[in-house]
């Protein structure tokens, strides 16, 4: 079998769960890229590669197949890709090992990649093709490219997919379409080019020229249609027909003559202009018909264009502009009746005078020759002060506020280049000193002539609309509460700075415990505090820096062109000092503080604006976790730590369902007879990837999120069941000590949860002791007293944990329904070498006994510590000396 496998490049391997050993067939060393490697080295490499398969197989039913691809670095050909295939085997329902194959799939992987690249290139070619492409199968559209979507008026190609192709074919074109499709019998067959009418989404039709090809789509027969919009071609054909008819329908008289001036063609417009019918005009000399001397040959030789006074057949005078051109058979004359144009000019002058848009005409000399009434109103000057001046003499500024040089002004550019200047926005200062914003267009009146050109400049007063737009822009980029830049403007500044070769520092500021102000004094006071904080940050920062509010109590300061850490430290210190100054709001004096995260982006940094804000936020969070009122610089290790925390938090959400959490128990010993009187349940997490995760790492994550209540409830149910079971096995007097999180004290269903856990487990209430830390109680003693009293009503015992680390006193604790006081391990660690600690513990024990509390010492690690605790009258103890935490089964000998 190994020989047969080797012919296909595969090598067999096995893994035994009982011995934790891996075996392999010949050729494994070459396949892993370590030829002639020793057994130990080869075993280590192979075990590391198949480890994910082993982990999965331990929790998977028998005879399940597994596949895994792993990269391997080799000295021969660099990195190669190995494919592992394995099957779990064993007896009954127990998996005893894996048997598998491994082979080199580097070449196949590259082939797949090459095929994928080829498909991507074809897809890109189709997507960018100017020709419209559509694939339909069984009359249903499967693919369209953007060009086809455009022809059919779709907002996106996806709007067409899955619909019948006949929805987009004009009814008259459907029979021919089906006939063409039936002719595509063999794969690759194509139809001749044909015209058809497609129906757009809005119901209108568009003419196209199509070719259909017999192809395949996802392994089945399909039709690919390639088409081109021929609307322009149709339009051109229509234009030719129009031009043919134009002669008959234009308003200008078009007259054709032979070389001697005898009329050979006289269009209807000539009949209308001169009042002579075509049948009367033909075969007569043109001069007789127009009532004035006219020799076409002389006119062409003198330039072909002139203006003359003609007469209608009724004797009326006509001002005619004549254009003459020579033909093979004679001449063609285009006679335009200028009488109407002159009348139109007068009408146009009236319209211009009535326009709300300012219009001025600049002569070739660069001097304004005319100005309509609207221009006088907009420019704030009468015509006498405008006509005769140069546009360049009026102070003009561009949108950035820079003064425009004379040669930069739109009228000058149009005058000397002949090119139009459209919709230029400028600010102009009027003679009265007022500034107006104008949307201005300058066009040459004589584009066919050489410069300088005559120019017409039209302009509209957009001062009010621009002010409104600027207000909208300001509102879109500034925080309405503080007037500072908002997130949008901050990100815009970061993007601009990133495009340049400049350093920029981001100081992310978050107020400490601001929620307390909002909750206790109301949002009105909170808003006043935020406004004052914004003013202080703006006042403390440099003039060239950007200060913004990102939302809530989060602020940011963007420091441009600064990469010195000491300067940034000094700035952060100044900001914190400004924050801590007393704030007087609505008759109250308040104190706030903040935490600052600093990230520095030097030239070449590839992080985008949102990423810089994210990293600064991470550094700020680090400052907050270290007590707040300080600043922290961002580094990569900090980001990796935060990323690990995020991953662990997400995994923790599934830890209960995946049975990854378990309870370890530590003995609690009576110091009078060293008898085990109880166990403290301690939550543990075995992560499938990271292994054992320290409680010091995952418990704070659960506290900061919404997980601690659900995890605490799960731990309580599990611990009560296990301790109840041990009491039935012989530990009749065994008591369970379980910790309550400060967040759990705020849970309104805590009493119901504890009661249900005791009932389900069958554990007596007096056998459960709930431990609460001193700091959790002192955060709100009155509320804590109510919660503890409700728990005491169930019959459970209560203990204060970590006593001595907070700010409580025995007088305060006396008001709480407590049974036990647990001395923090920090008092016990140096007990055997500190007389002062012995006196303190002796005092704590005496005072606790005086108010009826039992005393338990934590963290006992030596026999000397145990003896000294007994001497001072301590009741119970726990610690590594008496037993490390572990599964409850290991403690059964102590019942």
């Amino acid at each position: 079998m190994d020989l047969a496998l080797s012919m296909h490049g595969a090598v067999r391997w096995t893994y035994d769960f009982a011995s934790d050993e891996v075996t392999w067939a010949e050729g494994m060393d070459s396949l892993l890229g370590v030829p002639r490697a020793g057994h130990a080295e080869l075993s280590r490499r192979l075990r590391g590669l198949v480890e994910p398969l082993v982990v999965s197989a331990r929790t998977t039913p028998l005879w399940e197949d597994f596949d895994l691809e792993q990269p391997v670095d080799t000295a021969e050909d660099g990195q190669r890709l190995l494919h592992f295939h394995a099957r779990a085997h064993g007896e009954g329902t127990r998996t005893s090992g894996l048997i598998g194959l491994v082979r080199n799939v580097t070449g196949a992987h590259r082939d797949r990649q090459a095929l994928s690249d080829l498909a991507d290139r074809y897809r890109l070619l189709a997507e960018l093709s100017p020709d419209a492409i559509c694939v339909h199968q069984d009359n249903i559209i499967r693919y369209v490219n953007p060009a086809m979507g455009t022809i059919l008026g779709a907002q996106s190609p996806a709007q067409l997919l899955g619909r019948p192709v006949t929805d987009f074919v004009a009814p008259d074109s459907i029979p021919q379409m089906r006939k063409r499709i039936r002719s595509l019998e063999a794969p690759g067959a194509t139809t001749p080019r044909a015209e058809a009418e497609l129906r757009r989404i809005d119901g209108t039709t568009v003419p196209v020229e199509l070719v259909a090809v017999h192809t395949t789509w996802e392994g089945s027969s399909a039709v690919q249609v390639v088409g081109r919009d021929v609307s322009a071609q149709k339009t051109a054909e229509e234009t030719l027909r129009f031009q043919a008819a134009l002669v008959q329908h234009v308003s200008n008289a078009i007259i054709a003559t032979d070389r001697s001036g005898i009329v050979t063609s006289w269009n209807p417009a000539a009949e209308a202009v001169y009042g002579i019918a075509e049948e009367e005009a033909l075969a007569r000399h043109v001069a007789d018909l127009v009532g004035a001397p006219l020799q076409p040959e002389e006119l062409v030789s003198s330039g072909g264009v002139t203006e003359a006074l003609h007469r209608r057949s009724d004797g009326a005078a006509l001002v005619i502009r004549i254009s003459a051109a020579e033909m093979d058979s004679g001449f063609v004359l285009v006679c335009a009746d200028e009488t109407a144009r002159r009348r139109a000019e007068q009408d146009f002058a009236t319209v211009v005078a009535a326009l709300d848009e300012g219009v001025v005409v600049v002569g070739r000399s660069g001097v304004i020759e005319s100005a309509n009434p609207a221009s006088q109103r907009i420019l704030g000057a009468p015509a006498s002060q405008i006509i005769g001046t140069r546009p360049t003499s009026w102070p003009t500024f561009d949108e950035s506020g820079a003064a425009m040089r004379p040669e930069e002004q739109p009228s000058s550019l149009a005058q000397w280049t002949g090119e139009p200047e459209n919709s230029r926005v400028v600010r102009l200062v009027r003679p009265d000193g007022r500034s107006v914003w104008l949307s201005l267009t300058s066009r040459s009146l004589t584009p066919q002539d050489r410069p300088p050109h005559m120019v017409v400049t039209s302009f509209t007063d957009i001062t009010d609309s621009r002010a409104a737009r600027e207000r909208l822009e300001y509102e879109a980029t500034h925080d309405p509460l503080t007037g500072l830049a908002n997130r949008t403007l901050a990100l815009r500044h970061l993007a601009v700075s990133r495009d340049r070769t400049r350093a920029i520092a981001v100081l992310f500021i978050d107020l400490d415990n601001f929620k307390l102000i909002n909750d206790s004094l109301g949002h009105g006071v909170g808003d006043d505090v935020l406004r004052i904080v914004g003013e202080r940050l703006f006042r403390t920062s440099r003039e060239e820096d950007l200060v913004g509010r990102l939302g809530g109590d989060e602020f940011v300061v963007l420091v441009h062109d600064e990469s010195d850490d000491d300067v940034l430290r000094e700035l952060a210190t100044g900001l914190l000092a400004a924050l801590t100054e007393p704030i007087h709001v609505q008759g109250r004096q308040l104190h706030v503080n903040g935490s600052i995260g600093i990230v520095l982006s030097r030239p070449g940094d590839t992080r985008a604006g949102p990423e810089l804000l994210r990293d600064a936020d991470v550094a700020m969070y680090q400052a907050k976790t270290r007590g707040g009122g300080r600043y922290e610089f961002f580094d990569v290790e900090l980001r990796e730590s935060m990323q690990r925390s995020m991953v662990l938090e997400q995994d923790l959400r599934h830890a209960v369902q995946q049975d990854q959490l378990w309870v370890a128990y530590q003995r609690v010993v009576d110091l009078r007879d060293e008898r085990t009187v109880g166990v403290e349940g301690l939550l543990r997490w075995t992560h499938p990837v990271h292994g054992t995760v320290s409680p010091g790492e995952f418990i704070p994550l659960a506290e900061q999120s919404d997980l601690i209540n659900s995890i605490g409830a799960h731990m309580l149910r599990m611990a009560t069941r296990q301790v109840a079971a041990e009491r039935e096995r012989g530990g009749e007097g065994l008591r369970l000590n379980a910790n309550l999180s400060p967040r759990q004290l705020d849970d309104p269903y805590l009493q119901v949860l504890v009661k249900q856990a005791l009932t389900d487990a069958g554990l007596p209430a007096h056998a459960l002791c709930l431990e609460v830390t001193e700091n959790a109680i002192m955060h709100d003693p009155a509320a804590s007293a109510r919660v503890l009293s409700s728990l005491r009503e169930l019959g459970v015992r209560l203990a204060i944990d970590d006593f001595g680390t907070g700010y409580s006193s025995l007088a305060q604790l006396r008001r709480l329904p407590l049974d036990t006081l647990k001395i923090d391990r920090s008092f016990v660690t140096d007990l055997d070498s500190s007389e002062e600690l012995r006196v303190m513990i002796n005092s704590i024990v005496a005072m606790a006994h005086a108010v009826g509390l039992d005393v338990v010492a934590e963290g006992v690690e030596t026999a000397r510590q145990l003896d000294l605790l007994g001497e001072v009258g301590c009741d119970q103890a726990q610690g590594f000396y008496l037993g490390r935490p572990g599964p409850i089964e290991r403690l059964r000998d102590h019942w």
Side-chain angles (χ1 to χ4, degrees):
M1 182 180 69
D2 289 340
L3 179 60
L5 291 173
S6 65
M7 293 177 65
H8 293 82
V11 177
R12 177 178 52 84
W13 60 272
T14 65
Y15 189 97
D16 187 274
F17 285 179
S19 62
D20 202 28
E21 291 184 355
V22 62
T23 64
W24 57 87
E26 183 179 355
M28 183 64 75
D29 55 346
S30 298
L31 192 59
L32 299 187
V34 286
R36 297 180 298 280
H39 183 277
E41 172 65 13
L42 196 55
S43 175
R44 182 186 65 79
R45 286 177 176 260
L46 184 56
R47 284 165 59 90
L49 291 170
V50 302
E51 178 63 22
L53 297 177
V54 174
V55 172
S56 298
R58 292 185 186 275
T59 59
T60 305
L62 283 176
W63 311 115
E64 186 79 14
D65 283 357
F66 304 93
D67 287 279
L68 174 69
E69 288 188 353
Q70 293 275 48
V72 174
D73 292 325
T74 68
E76 300 174 358
D77 50 2
Q79 191 177 79
R80 63 177 59 163
L81 190 65
L82 301 182
H83 180 269
F84 289 85
H85 180 77
R87 174 173 293 178
H89 63 85
E91 296 181 0
T93 60
R94 180 181 179 188
T95 301
S96 61
L98 289 173
I99 182 169
L101 300 175
V102 57
R103 60 191 180 92
N104 186 349
V105 295
T106 306
H109 179 76
R110 291 172 180 165
D111 291 343
R112 290 197 304 270
Q113 186 63 44
L115 185 60
S116 175
D117 292 344
L118 180 60
D120 286 344
R121 287 195 294 273
Y122 175 79
R123 177 190 58 77
L124 186 61
L125 180 63
E127 292 293 313
L128 299 180
S129 172
D131 288 337
I133 299 174
C134 169
V135 178
H136 60 87
Q137 184 182 61
D138 299 330
N139 198 45
I140 300 301
I141 296 176
R142 302 301 184 189
Y143 168 80
V144 292
N145 72 340
M148 179 62 81
T150 300
I151 286 180
L152 296 179
Q155 294 181 351
S156 70
Q159 191 176 357
L160 307 174
L161 299 182
R163 295 182 59 177
V165 68
T166 50
D167 286 358
F168 304 100
V169 181
D172 293 343
S173 296
I174 291 177
Q176 289 298 321
M177 178 198 77
R178 289 174 173 164
K179 182 178 179 180
R180 288 194 298 272
I181 292 175
R182 286 194 298 270
S183 70
L184 299 175
E185 298 178 351
T190 61
T191 63
R193 290 186 177 275
E195 289 189 2
E197 291 281 337
L198 296 186
R199 184 164 58 187
R200 294 162 55 89
I201 286 180
D202 59 7
T204 60
T205 59
V206 57
V208 293
E209 188 178 70
L210 300 173
V211 173
V213 182
H214 187 171
T215 184
T216 60
W217 182 265
E218 296 182 349
S220 299
S221 177
V223 176
Q224 176 173 303
V225 180
V226 181
R228 179 169 296 175
D229 185 352
V230 293
S231 300
Q233 178 181 333
K234 294 289 185 181
T235 302
E237 294 173 355
E238 291 293 332
T239 300
L240 291 176
R241 287 191 290 270
F242 172 78
Q243 290 175 346
L246 185 63
V247 173
Q248 298 298 315
H249 298 285
V250 295
S251 59
N252 289 338
I254 300 178
I255 306 169
T257 72
D258 61 13
R259 296 237 169 231
S260 62
I262 301 302
V263 174
T264 59
S265 175
W266 184 268
N267 74 337
E271 293 181 340
V273 171
Y274 292 103
I276 301 173
E278 181 182 13
E279 58 269 19
E280 297 179 20
L282 295 178
R284 294 175 61 183
H285 196 279
V286 64
D288 295 338
L289 298 171
V290 301
L294 178 58
Q295 295 294 333
E297 185 175 5
E298 294 179 2
L299 181 57
V300 170
S301 63
S302 63
V305 178
T306 189
E307 190 173 283
L309 182 65
H310 289 185
R311 294 284 179 180
R312 280 176 53 89
S313 61
D314 60 3
L318 301 172
V319 178
I320 303 294
R321 187 175 186 274
I322 309 172
S323 299
E326 187 174 4
M327 301 185 300
D328 291 340
S329 59
F331 303 92
V332 62
L333 305 174
V334 178
C335 301
D337 186 354
E338 293 294 304
T339 307
R341 182 181 65 82
R342 297 288 174 84
R343 187 179 300 114
E345 286 178 350
Q346 294 175 355
D347 294 342
F348 178 76
T350 303
V351 171
V352 169
L355 287 176
D356 287 334
E357 185 177 24
V359 179
V360 298
V361 176
V362 182
R364 296 179 185 275
S365 63
V367 174
I368 296 176
E369 297 180 351
S370 67
N372 73 337
S375 67
Q376 301 169 38
R377 172 177 50 80
I378 294 172
L379 298 179
S384 59
Q385 294 183 16
I386 299 175
I387 296 173
T389 64
R390 295 178 179 273
T392 55
S393 66
W394 296 71
T396 309
F397 304 84
D398 63 20
E399 288 191 274
S400 67
M404 300 180 71
R405 299 193 301 271
E407 63 272 16
E408 295 176 336
Q409 294 197 17
S411 60
S412 296
L413 292 172
Q415 184 174 32
W416 291 101
T417 66
E419 298 296 327
E421 293 290 319
N422 296 320
S423 302
R424 290 283 301 277
V425 176
V426 301
R427 180 172 64 86
L428 182 142
V429 179
R430 304 188 338 168
D432 59 6
R434 177 190 166 199
S435 290
V436 290
W437 284 96
L438 306 177
S439 176
L440 183 149
T441 296
S442 291
R443 293 179 178 271
S444 169
L445 287 173
T446 56
Q448 72 279 5
D449 295 343
R450 292 182 178 179
H453 301 276
M454 290 187 67
V455 172
V456 57
T457 297
S458 59
F459 46 89
T460 303
D461 186 350
I462 60 170
T463 306
D464 293 339
S465 61
R466 183 179 178 87
R469 186 170 68 252
E470 288 177 347
R471 277 197 307 274
L472 292 175
E473 172 67 13
Y474 181 87
E475 292 171 359
T477 56
H478 287 76
D479 173 47
L481 178 63
T482 63
L484 300 176
N486 63 8
R487 180 181 292 271
T488 299
L489 186 56
L491 289 174
R492 188 180 299 173
H493 270 254
L494 288 172
V496 170
S497 297
R498 182 171 173 266
D499 291 339
R500 304 174 184 170
T501 56
R502 300 171 54 188
I504 186 169
V506 180
L507 280 69
F508 195 105
I509 306 157
D510 186 270
L511 302 184
D512 296 337
N513 300 318
F514 178 74
K515 184 176 183 296
L516 183 60
I517 294 177
N518 269 341
D519 292 345
S520 59
L521 302 179
H523 289 276
V525 173
D527 288 348
D528 290 341
V529 170
L530 291 175
R531 277 190 288 267
I532 294 173
V533 167
E535 293 171 0
R536 291 182 178 180
L537 294 177
F538 185 83
R539 186 176 65 247
T540 307
S541 301
R542 305 181 310 181
E543 183 177 352
E544 63 270 22
D545 297 337
L546 180 75
V547 181
R549 176 178 176 236
L550 302 180
D553 59 343
E554 294 179 344
F555 295 83
V556 66
V557 177
L558 304 184
V559 184
H560 297 282
D561 298 323
E562 186 57 70
S563 58
D564 190 318
D565 288 356
D566 291 337
V567 173
L568 296 176
R569 288 190 181 93
E570 183 178 351
L571 176 58
T573 301
L575 293 174
L576 290 175
L579 290 178
T580 56
E581 295 176 7
I583 295 178
H584 298 276
V585 177
Q586 299 183 13
R588 299 174 182 272
Q589 179 173 296
L590 303 176
H591 295 271
V592 298
N593 207 340
S595 300
I596 302 179
I598 306 173
V599 62
L600 177 60
S601 175
R602 292 184 170 87
D605 192 339
T606 60
R607 287 176 292 180
E611 294 172 316
L612 291 173
L613 288 181
R614 176 204 63 195
D615 291 344
D617 190 12
V618 168
M620 180 279 298
Y621 182 78
Q622 179 73 358
K624 195 172 287 287
T625 58
R626 292 183 175 177
R630 57 184 294 157
Y631 59 83
E632 290 288 341
F633 279 84
F634 172 82
D635 57 38
V636 176
E637 292 182 0
L638 180 57
R639 179 199 292 161
E640 292 174 350
S641 173
M642 295 302 298
Q643 289 174 342
R644 172 181 167 86
S645 296
M646 291 175 60
V647 170
L648 287 179
E649 180 182 332
Q650 294 302 315
D651 292 346
L652 189 57
R653 296 182 182 275
H654 309 290
V656 172
Q657 294 86 342
Q658 297 177 5
D659 199 25
Q660 297 171 5
L661 299 177
W662 60 283
V663 181
Y665 297 91
Q666 187 175 41
R667 297 171 60 206
V668 179
V669 176
D670 192 316
L671 292 182
R672 289 168 293 190
D673 53 12
E674 296 191 8
R675 177 174 55 87
T676 299
V677 294
V679 290
E680 180 176 358
L682 303 168
L683 191 61
R684 295 292 184 262
W685 183 15
T686 302
H687 193 280
V689 176
H690 301 292
T692 300
V693 182
S694 168
E697 185 174 13
F698 77 82
I699 292 297
L701 291 177
E703 289 276 5
Q704 296 159 13
S705 63
D706 58 349
L707 299 174
I708 192 63
N709 286 345
S710 61
I711 290 176
H714 173 71
M715 182 266 187
L716 185 62
R717 288 191 294 266
M718 186 164 41
T720 52
R721 286 198 306 268
Q722 292 175 350
V723 171
E726 291 304 315
R727 287 168 62 92
E728 293 180 358
R729 288 191 179 94
E732 292 84 358
L734 190 63
R735 186 176 67 245
L736 169 64
N737 292 358
N739 293 291
L740 284 181
S741 161
R743 292 280 294 273
Q744 287 179 279
L745 292 179
D746 297 331
D747 185 356
Y749 301 103
L750 178 61
Q751 183 190 39
V752 176
L753 168 68
V754 174
K755 181 179 180 181
Q756 189 64 45
L758 292 170
T759 302
D760 293 345
L763 184 69
H766 64 80
L768 174 63
C769 179
L770 297 175
E771 299 181 1
V772 185
T773 63
E774 180 183 7
N775 287 331
I777 293 176
M778 290 301 104
H779 177 69
D780 189 348
S784 299
R786 289 192 297 271
V787 174
L788 296 178
S789 296
S790 68
L791 295 173
R792 168 55 66 80
E793 292 174 0
L794 298 177
V796 301
R797 296 174 60 83
L798 300 171
I800 182 168
D801 197 8
D802 299 337
F803 182 78
T805 60
Y807 299 97
S808 64
S809 67
L810 287 174
Q812 291 172 308
L813 299 181
R814 185 175 59 83
R815 303 186 186 96
L816 300 173
L818 299 174
D819 301 288
T820 302
L821 182 149
K822 298 188 72 174
I823 299 175
D824 187 69
R825 64 182 64 248
S826 60
F827 288 87
V828 179
T829 301
D830 299 323
L831 180 60
D832 50 359
S833 60
S834 172
E835 181 63 29
E836 181 183 11
L837 285 175
R838 283 198 290 271
V839 173
M840 291 177 64
I841 292 179
N842 186 46
S843 300
I844 292 173
V845 170
M847 288 187 292
H849 285 166
V851 294
L853 299 179
D854 294 333
V855 180
V856 180
E858 298 180 296
V860 177
E861 297 183 357
T862 66
R864 177 60 177 162
Q865 293 171 353
L866 191 66
D867 293 340
L868 291 172
L869 288 170
E871 292 175 4
V872 297
C874 187
D875 301 301
Q876 299 168 4
Q878 64 184 93
F880 286 176
Y881 177 73
L882 299 170
R884 292 179 175 272
I888 200 166
E889 296 85 4
R890 297 182 185 175
L891 306 180
R892 287 176 181 166
D893 294 340
H894 299 284
W895 309 153

